[in-house]
Amino acid sequence: MVPSSLADCPLPPPQLPLSREVPLCGEEAGRLEHLGGGWGCPAPRAGAGMVPPGKKPAGEASNSNKKCKRYFNEHWKEEFTWLAFDYERKLMFCLECRQALVRNKHGKAENAFTVGTDNFQRHALLRHVTSGAHRQALAVNRGQPTFEGQAEGGGAYPGLATTPTPRGIKVEVDAAKVAVLTTVYCMAKEDVPDNRCSALLELQRFNLCQALLGTEHGDYYSPRRVRDMQVAIASVLHMEACQCLKASPYVGLVLDKTRDWNESHSLALFATSVSPCDGQPATIFLGSVELQEGEVTAGQLLDILQAFGVSAPKLAWLSSSLPSDRLGSVGLQLRATCPLLMELHCLPGRPDPQPPAYLGEYESVLDALFRLHGGPSSHTIPELRAALDLAAIDLAGPRPVPWASLLPVVEAVAEAWPCLVPILEASAPASPTARALALALRQFTFVAFTYLLLDTLPCTQKLALVLQPEDPDLALLQPLVMAAAASLQAQRNSGGARLQGFLQELASSSPNLGGGRCTYRGLELVGYSEAAVRGLERLRGAFLDSMRKGLRDSYPGPSLDTAAAFSSIFDPRRYPQAPEELGAHGEGALRLLLRTYAPAVVRQRALGDFALFKRVVCSLGRLGPRALCSKLACVHSELHELFPDFAALASLALVLPAGAGLLDKVGRSRELRWWGQGGAGEGREDPAVKIAVDGPPLHEFDFALAVEFLESGWGEGLLGSQLT
């Protein structure tokens, strides 16, 4: 099972006191005064230390970066019991590290937390608590042998070269080991084949990389063990993923159908989460799971979540690229143990249920056509190449292209059809493929189905585009789904404009259907007859019914209502400008959310807070929905303390599986699993995919911990197998 990443939780910007621009009634003012001494004054934090007389409060201290003023947060003392703050010097210290320094008199105070630091950022504390220096300090204080003591006694791996270091508090990691792991890390991020590791290390030595010169790395750092190093790196990401998912109040689960090269049924799994530290949403790659008899089960998914420390009641969203017949009743089964669960299946490439058989035949023709005349070396039909560029299609990739769902491709074929057929027929004597394509393109059904697609695709394309931005406008989702459903229903009843225009032109130019031939745009069509027209009607009905069912399955009505309600409550840009209209705004939407998420909120409290909530939100300016939800979800913000029910609803909105962050990671995973190894034709394994999808920038990754995992073999049992 592959782990997932946890980005450091940066300290959110200082919360400014709420403005007094909004007039308050006496009851509201009393509530706020009870929370913090009156309107406009932040409430005192629980557990905040008393400020010594004559000294400035901790909030006055800032770090040395004059451009970005940061403050010490008294809450950190509750979370990190080893943390101390010097109000006089405005520095924070680690009590454990300072105590160990006193005991170890020969040590060097190289640890910033022993001399004091003004780097007032929460992720600096997280880095310190997981550092080798802090772990060694804990061992010294408890009388346990340190890592260095074990190494001096021979250690478990005598073949590894070690760099002599003083017996200090700071654990120095061998730079050569980090250099090799860094190389493997970058190879996975950039999808460089594993067998290039030796060449890359040699290149770095040639360029006089000091860490690699004159050092033997032993068996643990041999290029032959690239996968073991990937597993160790992925193990670090897995630990961080578990912390991230445990901390998130709610999560979403995303299932993406993938293809292994042995043709087995497998899924790539992702989770959406929100950090309570700063309220920022994240998408995490969990790994892959083999399907039992080609179908996913609710028990499998719950077991996977449990492995990451996520309890069933925290699961709020389910999204999948599987067709509804393959997904089955998983959502219904999950709701028995996940009372908050909603479904929204908006991943690209989700097939419609029971598509007509002709759809596969049509896409085969387009695939052969574009591979023959759409490649970069073909300049005969520039429209085809332009359509590929516009749709971002890579013909060299192994994934099958969903040609019939790409509007630019279908438009290019319809526009270039009159010149395509003669070009193909001219090449027919030397190319059997061109001869077959020319005959296929002359078929009446092919041309008619092309116009049918031109009628149906625009409405579905608009729906796909609304979910692609980083902060999707959920207010547009329900209207676009309803418009698409109405358009498909109208075409089912009377036919689309493009298809009907094509049929009318044929009927006027060729009144006799018995001959089987007719002329369209100067070219003779094959297979035009009364039977062919009746067959087209059946094909049109089956295709539109499949699209309508797929639309209903992907965007269930309750989920659309919930998304619209989230937009009404958390998008200040849609609040009415007139104060007299603000009071009634969103009442119905809030009641819907309170019914849907009854286990997560206190109904009467939320209804009582709503008027004040809207007035406070208006005073903050025209924030976007994601910015407002992040402020509410951040446990350190005043909004979170003032409006706990809206904070819970905001967290539920943030883990909704949509937006560019999710789509980018799913797309990257698909590339690696279908292709991988720099195009060598072998899909990447989970550890490499994990690093490529979730790995942070180099300077944010803890390579020292990866060294420990590699040399202890800790990650083998965890990551050596797939999720089951």
Side-chain angles (χ1 to χ4, degrees):
M1 177 172 65
V2 170
S4 4
S5 79
L6 168 68
D8 287 332
C9 297
L11 179 70
Q15 297 293 326
L16 298 177
L18 298 173
S19 169
R20 194 185 167 87
E21 294 177 2
V22 182
L24 298 177
C25 65
E27 179 183 356
E28 293 169 348
R31 289 177 52 207
L32 289 170
E33 185 174 5
H34 173 71
L35 285 170
W39 179 250
C41 299
R45 307 290 186 182
M50 296 295 295
V51 179
K55 297 179 181 179
K56 295 182 180 180
E60 298 286 333
S62 66
N63 65 5
S64 56
N65 185 352
K66 303 301 181 184
K67 295 182 180 179
C68 181
K69 196 171 185 178
R70 297 186 182 273
Y71 302 86
F72 181 78
N73 191 329
E74 292 286 347
H75 273 304
W76 293 340
K77 291 183 180 179
E78 302 172 8
E79 184 176 1
F80 305 100
T81 56
W82 44 263
L83 183 63
F85 183 70
D86 187 327
Y87 292 87
E88 185 70 30
R89 299 166 59 194
K90 298 182 177 63
L91 297 174
M92 56 185 182
F93 302 86
C94 174
L95 296 176
E96 293 282 356
C97 289
R98 299 192 80 175
Q99 181 181 354
L101 182 64
V102 172
R103 292 186 178 187
N104 186 3
K105 297 180 180 178
H106 298 287
K108 293 185 178 180
E110 298 181 20
N111 180 353
F113 278 82
T114 60
V115 298
T117 177
D118 62 355
N119 184 14
F120 301 130
Q121 301 183 72
R122 187 175 181 276
H123 72 261
L125 301 176
L126 291 172
R127 282 201 305 268
H128 177 71
V129 77
T130 58
S131 67
H134 187 76
R135 289 195 296 272
Q136 187 177 7
L138 293 176
V140 169
N141 294 336
R142 286 154 181 75
Q144 300 171 354
T146 63
F147 294 121
E148 288 181 358
Q150 294 171 0
E152 291 172 1
Y157 310 103
L160 289 177
T162 57
T163 302
T165 58
R167 290 179 55 84
I169 297 303
K170 187 172 182 178
V171 175
E172 296 292 346
V173 181
D174 189 337
K177 298 177 181 180
V178 173
V180 177
L181 281 174
T182 303
T183 303
V184 173
Y185 186 91
C186 293
M187 289 172 59
K189 291 289 286 183
E190 300 300 328
D191 193 24
V192 177
D194 295 348
N195 58 13
R196 306 285 176 84
C197 184
S198 296
L200 289 175
L201 293 175
E202 188 60 34
L203 175 63
Q204 293 177 76
R205 293 190 191 96
F206 179 79
N207 287 332
L208 303 180
C209 173
Q210 295 297 318
L212 294 174
L213 290 177
T215 304
E216 295 295 335
H217 312 114
D219 292 339
Y220 279 90
Y221 296 89
S222 166
R224 297 188 301 274
R225 295 200 60 193
V226 169
R227 187 186 181 280
D228 294 335
M229 288 184 269
Q230 291 172 349
V231 168
I233 294 170
S235 299
V236 177
L237 298 175
H238 172 81
M239 285 186 59
E240 296 175 341
C242 290
Q243 296 173 18
C244 180
L245 293 176
K246 287 179 181 178
S248 179
Y250 307 104
V251 298
L253 186 61
V254 180
L255 316 176
D256 186 40
K257 186 179 185 300
T258 185
R259 189 192 83 175
D260 292 335
W261 291 103
N262 58 3
E263 300 297 328
S264 62
H265 299 287
S266 67
L267 289 176
L269 277 73
F270 299 81
T272 56
S273 66
V274 58
S275 169
C277 306
D278 55 10
Q280 294 301 314
T283 299
I284 301 169
F285 174 67
L286 301 181
S288 63
V289 57
E290 289 294 327
L291 298 180
Q292 298 174 357
E293 299 180 356
E295 292 188 2
V296 66
T297 65
Q300 278 181 301
L301 300 182
L302 292 175
D303 289 344
I304 292 166
L305 291 176
Q306 186 62 40
F308 282 85
V310 178
S311 59
K314 289 175 61 172
L315 182 60
W317 292 97
L318 177 66
S319 180
S320 171
S321 63
L322 290 172
S324 56
D325 54 347
R326 179 67 61 84
L327 192 61
S329 59
V330 169
L332 187 61
Q333 296 170 14
L334 285 173
R335 270 190 286 275
T337 53
C338 309
L340 303 179
L341 185 68
M342 304 290 286
E343 296 185 54
L344 190 65
H345 307 288
C346 50
L347 288 183
R350 187 175 197 241
D352 295 321
Q354 301 175 342
Y358 181 75
L359 181 63
E361 180 182 338
Y362 180 86
E363 290 192 325
S364 298
V365 172
L366 290 191
D367 188 76
L369 174 65
F370 276 87
R371 293 187 186 279
L372 182 64
H373 282 293
S377 60
S378 177
H379 304 285
T380 308
I381 310 173
E383 295 88 348
L384 300 187
R385 184 67 233 172
L388 290 179
D389 294 339
L390 185 59
I393 298 299
D394 180 13
L395 293 176
R399 286 178 58 86
V401 180
W403 297 105
S405 64
L406 302 174
L407 183 58
V409 166
V410 179
E411 288 176 335
V413 171
E415 180 183 353
W417 184 82
C419 62
L420 269 175
V421 175
I423 291 174
L424 291 170
E425 289 178 340
S427 306
S431 172
T433 301
R435 183 186 306 111
L437 283 174
L439 181 60
L441 264 64
R442 280 186 179 272
Q443 295 295 321
F444 160 76
T445 304
F446 177 88
V447 180
F449 194 75
T450 300
Y451 285 108
L452 173 61
L453 292 176
L454 290 178
D455 286 327
T456 59
L457 287 181
C459 59
T460 58
Q461 294 286 305
K462 293 178 183 177
L463 186 56
L465 290 174
V466 76
L467 295 171
Q468 290 183 4
E470 187 65 37
D471 188 4
D473 190 348
L474 297 181
L476 299 177
L477 186 59
Q478 188 173 42
L480 286 176
V481 171
M482 295 174 63
S487 175
L488 294 176
Q489 181 62 49
Q491 293 180 49
R492 182 70 174 86
N493 296 334
S494 58
R498 302 291 295 270
L499 177 60
Q500 290 304 313
F502 166 71
L503 294 177
Q504 290 171 7
E505 183 173 345
L506 287 186
S508 61
S509 63
S510 305
N512 181 16
L513 297 180
R517 295 177 181 271
C518 64
T519 301
Y520 176 68
R521 298 179 69 177
L523 295 175
E524 184 181 20
L525 290 181
V526 179
Y528 179 56
S529 64
E530 291 183 0
V533 173
R534 290 194 298 270
L536 175 64
E537 285 300 306
R538 291 192 295 272
L539 172 62
R540 181 176 68 87
F543 180 66
L544 291 173
D545 288 344
S546 175
M547 289 191 69
R548 291 165 59 205
K549 187 175 188 306
L551 192 65
R552 290 193 301 269
D553 292 342
S554 298
Y555 304 95
S559 298
L560 292 177
D561 293 338
T562 300
F566 278 141
S567 178
S568 178
I569 301 298
F570 295 119
D571 192 350
R573 300 169 300 183
R574 300 186 181 278
Y575 281 17
Q577 298 297 315
E580 60 273 11
E581 298 176 2
L582 185 61
H585 173 77
E587 291 286 348
L590 177 60
R591 294 180 185 276
L592 184 146
L593 292 177
L594 295 178
R595 288 194 303 270
T596 302
Y597 298 114
V601 293
V602 179
R603 177 181 176 83
Q604 291 305 320
R605 182 176 62 187
L607 291 173
D609 287 348
F610 193 33
L612 176 60
F613 171 79
K614 289 182 288 187
R615 297 167 73 178
V616 170
V617 168
C618 286
S619 73
L620 298 177
R622 297 178 68 82
L623 296 174
R626 174 162 293 190
L628 175 58
C629 287
S630 294
K631 285 180 176 292
L632 284 161
C634 175
V635 296
H636 304 298
S637 72
E638 288 182 292
L639 288 179
H640 183 92
E641 296 178 359
L642 287 171
F643 307 109
D645 300 302
F646 292 92
L649 294 175
S651 296
L652 289 162
L654 287 171
V655 298
L656 188 150
L662 171 66
L663 297 180
D664 289 346
K665 290 199 172 186
V666 169
R668 180 64 172 148
S669 170
R670 288 177 176 179
E671 291 175 5
L672 295 168
R673 292 191 164 277
W674 279 81
W675 191 240
Q677 296 289 302
E682 296 180 2
R684 283 293 213 177
E685 295 181 351
D686 275 359
V689 176
K690 174 65 183 175
I691 298 168
V693 171
D694 281 343
L698 277 174
H699 68 277
E700 296 181 8
F701 185 77
D702 190 350
F703 285 99
L705 188 56
V707 169
E708 292 184 26
F709 285 170
L710 178 63
E711 297 182 358
S712 66
W714 182 87
E716 284 295 340
L718 180 66
L719 301 174
S721 59
Q722 300 284 338
L723 284 167
T724 55

